[in-house]
Amino acid sequence: MEHLSVFFQTRFPLALLTFWVLLEAQTLAEQQEYCDDGGWSCGSHLSVEDEGPCNIEVLDGASLSLRQFLDNYAYSTPVIITGLTQNTKFRSSCSKQNLLDEYGDRQVRLSTANTYSYRKVDVSLRDYVDVVLRPQSPDVLGSDTLYLFGDTNWSEWHKLLDLYKPPAYLLPGTSRALSFGIAGPGTGVPFHWHGPGYSEVIYGRKRWFLYPPDHEPHFHPNVSTLAWLRDVYPKLPQQQAPFECTIRPGQVLYFPDRWWHATLNLDTSVFISTFLG
């Protein structure tokens, strides 16, 4: 190392060398800021780039009262709310390294992305991350896509899930149930419906497509959302266009009761849903 130091001192003026060091440090800092994804996909270039349009209202949670939420959104239309939760500690705990250090040897239950199939597979979290968590082709069927979402053994994961602070807005007569997930780019759940709830992305991006209860979308339950986006979505007449948006960390999507919805993970995504039942 000493001969390299002498080389730089004799060939470069001190001011130029200082500028080079500062530039390298700035570039590294910019890369770290851009790649603040918890180690899940940074630098892999394995993402679905098209975020699509957003025709769902986006609100600042600081200016939205519970009364306004109940009157204007809770029973009628989806909405995206920013600043609704403060989950810095939970987000840090969900980084790839932290999750593998704490839970890598724990068993997780994978389900098929097709909600009409009931196939379950138990693997360690480490095996899921190292082997199963891969980008998905549009032609892979929902019944062949293994997906970590829900089916979490609360007794083994409560230390993590207890850190999560869910959205404060509750519908009268409901309680919360959490579902935690990790999924690769190109994966997602085809159209389905259930009760109301929230979805928050912790790392990555997740694109959503939604229809009101009385407007059932045209889809096949075993065809992936990615294939639907490629083959069906471009041909939809304007009157059949979905509500849609891509949500990022710091945003929470609320979907009302019985609204049809399909999801598409654009990156390797870590996410959590709060179901109101």
Side-chain angles (χ1 to χ4, degrees):
M1 294 295 293
E2 189 172 325
H3 69 282
L4 289 178
S5 177
V6 172
F7 174 80
F8 277 109
Q9 289 176 14
T10 56
R11 296 296 180 94
F12 295 98
L14 179 60
L16 181 60
L17 183 58
T18 302
F19 171 78
W20 177 80
V21 171
L22 291 174
L23 182 62
E24 286 293 302
Q26 179 181 357
T27 302
L28 180 60
E30 289 174 349
Q31 288 176 343
Q32 289 174 340
E33 180 178 0
Y34 175 78
C35 296
D36 183 19
D37 62 358
W40 287 104
S41 61
C42 184
S44 66
H45 306 293
L46 300 175
S47 298
V48 180
E49 291 303 320
D50 185 12
E51 292 193 357
C54 183
N55 57 11
I56 300 175
E57 189 173 2
V58 180
L59 298 175
D60 182 356
S63 60
L64 180 67
S65 69
L66 174 59
R67 186 73 266 161
Q68 290 172 321
F69 172 73
L70 293 175
D71 289 346
N72 300 325
Y73 306 100
Y75 304 103
S76 58
T77 188
V79 63
I80 296 169
I81 310 171
T82 63
L84 190 58
T85 61
Q86 297 293 333
N87 280 299
T88 303
K89 189 172 183 180
F90 178 74
R91 189 170 193 263
S92 175
S93 298
C94 289
S95 72
K96 184 176 181 180
Q97 192 60 57
N98 285 341
L99 274 184
L100 289 178
D101 287 346
E102 184 73 26
Y103 300 100
D105 297 327
R106 307 272 183 96
Q107 292 289 297
V108 293
R109 174 156 290 181
L110 311 181
S111 305
T112 52
N114 179 345
T115 56
Y116 295 84
S117 172
Y118 296 97
R119 182 183 170 203
K120 305 287 185 181
V121 177
D122 292 334
V123 297
S124 71
L125 177 64
R126 193 177 310 280
D127 285 343
Y128 174 66
V129 170
D130 293 343
V131 179
V132 181
L133 195 63
R134 294 290 181 270
Q136 177 174 285
S137 162
D139 299 316
V140 176
L141 298 178
S143 58
D144 294 328
T145 303
L146 291 174
Y147 198 82
L148 173 58
F149 183 57
D151 281 332
T152 305
N153 185 331
W154 190 276
S155 65
E156 292 187 352
W157 289 78
H158 73 89
K159 181 178 177 182
L160 174 70
L161 297 179
D162 284 348
L163 295 176
Y164 180 67
K165 298 178 181 178
Y169 302 143
L170 268 177
L171 275 60
T174 66
S175 58
R176 301 182 183 91
L178 299 179
S179 287
F180 176 73
I182 306 171
T187 64
V189 179
F191 281 103
H192 63 289
W193 60 266
H194 45 66
Y198 301 93
S199 178
E200 180 171 0
V201 174
I202 307 303
Y203 291 110
R205 299 167 297 153
K206 184 185 286 284
R207 189 171 175 181
W208 281 73
F209 307 91
L210 304 101
Y211 287 96
D214 59 353
H215 193 157
E216 181 176 354
H218 175 68
F219 73 103
H220 189 287
N222 208 31
V223 173
S224 70
T225 304
L226 191 57
W228 178 87
L229 180 64
R230 178 192 64 187
D231 301 332
V232 178
Y233 177 88
K235 303 173 185 177
L236 291 174
Q238 184 175 0
Q239 66 271 21
Q240 295 181 19
F243 288 78
E244 62 177 297
C245 200
T246 294
I247 62 170
R248 293 170 168 268
Q251 298 179 319
V252 174
L253 171 73
Y254 171 77
F255 50 89
D257 186 28
R258 297 176 182 266
W259 271 63
W260 292 94
H261 54 278
T263 60
L264 176 64
N265 297 291
L266 303 185
D267 310 297
T268 298
S269 301
V270 180
F271 48 94
I272 188 166
S273 291
T274 305
F275 296 111
L276 305 178

